[in-house]
């Protein structure tokens, strides 16, 4: 059995995904965070395709050592820039069961500052 923290996050994730779904007009911006990295994708759930992605492993972000919250801000700016280049303005934010603070919050705020609306 999973440990309690993973099980709790999984339950929250399922509760969120019942409501949040990406469409071609308003795709879903989902976030995954590991202990060292953070990843963001913009997904069209009707077709099951990833439209845009960014992570802290890309050369633009991983070039210099920095705090994880700073990495999340750069990933948020990068995902917003790539989304606007792809013609995506409005998204639905899926925090993927994580609490909205720390790295998740900084990524979301940086994406909003970059021009995404959610």
């Amino acid at each position: 059995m999973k440990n309690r923290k993973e099980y709790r996050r999984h339950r929250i994730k399922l509760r969120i995904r019942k409501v949040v779904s990406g469409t071609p007009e308003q795709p879903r911006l989902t976030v995954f965070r590991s202990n060292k990295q953070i990843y963001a994708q913009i997904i069209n759930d009707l077709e099951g395709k990833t439209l845009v992605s960014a992570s802290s492993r890309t050369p633009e972000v991983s070039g210099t050592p920095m705090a994880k919250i700073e990495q999340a801000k750069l990933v948020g700016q990068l995902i917003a820039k790539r989304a606007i280049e792809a013609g995506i303005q409005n998204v639905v934010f899926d925090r993927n069961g994580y609490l909205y603070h720390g790295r998740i919050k900084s990524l979301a705020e940086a994406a909003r500052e970059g021009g995404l609306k959610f």
Side-chain angles (χ1 to χ4, degrees), residues 3-110:
N3 66 27
R4 290 181 180 196
K5 194 175 201 180
E6 289 176 0
Y7 181 68
R8 178 181 172 277
R9 187 179 81 82
H10 183 68
R11 281 194 358 242
I12 294 170
K13 179 179 176 177
L14 293 177
R15 198 167 51 229
I16 292 169
R17 289 287 288 127
K18 278 194 293 188
V19 178
V20 174
S21 179
T23 63
E25 299 82 32
Q26 195 169 16
R28 176 172 57 104
L29 169 62
T30 186
V31 177
F32 175 75
R33 91 186 149 89
S34 67
N35 287 337
K36 293 185 179 182
Q37 309 295 335
I38 189 158
Y39 306 86
Q41 292 181 333
I42 296 182
I43 302 170
N44 177 357
D45 286 319
L46 297 180
E47 296 177 7
K49 291 189 178 181
T50 299
L51 307 173
V52 179
S53 67
S55 76
S56 58
R57 298 185 67 175
T58 58
E60 296 101 346
V61 178
S62 67
T64 60
M66 64 184 80
K68 290 188 268 188
I69 289 182
E70 296 300 320
Q71 277 185 343
K73 285 180 186 176
L74 289 178
V75 171
Q77 292 169 356
L78 185 62
I79 195 82
K81 182 180 122 187
R82 289 181 180 176
I84 290 178
E85 288 173 359
I88 301 168
Q89 298 268 330
N90 296 322
V91 295
V92 179
F93 188 65
D94 176 12
R95 60 189 171 91
N96 212 4
Y98 300 109
L99 298 178
Y100 188 80
H101 68 86
R103 292 192 277 164
I104 304 296
K105 184 177 179 181
S106 67
L107 186 141
E109 289 174 351

